[in-house]
Amino acid sequence: MASLIKHGHLNTVAVVNPINRCPTVVVMAAEVDRFDAEFVSLFAIARQRGLHHMVVKKALDAAGIEAALDPTVIGATSYRRSDISKARMSTAQKGTPDDGLCSFQSRPET
């Protein structure tokens, strides 16, 4: 979270600590909710799909969906939820050559 704050992806506010009366920098719950509504981590997608994170990453890369935040700077791979929702995920059927793999494909424009 520190790198998200440092690089301006999470806004902070200074509040007075009620115990020691010292100013403390915090991220408000509404700000965390805003961030969570806009971004999703690679690991969260993989966990939700029940797949290994590298399988999901390979499928996202193949579909041309790029990480929204630089993983080398942030320390985690995150995608915009809107980018993920524009793609549909299909899992290979058992017995096919791609058994166990998944792919994200661009949805046709309507």
Side-chain angles (χ1 to χ4, degrees), residues 31-100:
E31 180 65 7
V32 173
D33 292 343
R34 180 207 57 84
F35 183 86
D36 284 343
E38 185 175 353
F39 298 100
V40 61
S41 73
L42 174 63
F43 287 97
I45 299 167
R47 185 174 42 248
Q48 179 185 30
R49 306 288 187 204
L51 299 168
H52 191 275
H53 68 277
M54 290 307 295
V55 171
V56 175
K57 172 108 174 79
K58 186 176 181 179
L60 289 168
D61 288 346
I65 300 172
E66 297 180 4
L69 309 175
D70 186 349
T72 60
V73 173
I74 301 301
T77 305
S78 297
Y79 297 90
R80 288 192 190 285
R81 289 184 185 274
S82 60
D83 292 344
I84 299 298
S85 68
K86 289 177 188 172
R88 66 177 168 83
M89 186 177 131
S90 62
T91 53
Q93 298 295 319
K94 294 245 182 238
T96 64
D98 293 334
D99 189 29

Side-chain angles (χ1 to χ4, degrees), residues 5-26:
I5 294 168
K6 178 180 177 183
H7 296 284
H9 299 292
L10 284 174
N11 295 319
T12 60
V13 294
V15 297
V16 175
N17 183 312
I19 305 297
N20 63 16
R21 309 294 300 157
C22 292
T24 304
V25 175
V26 298

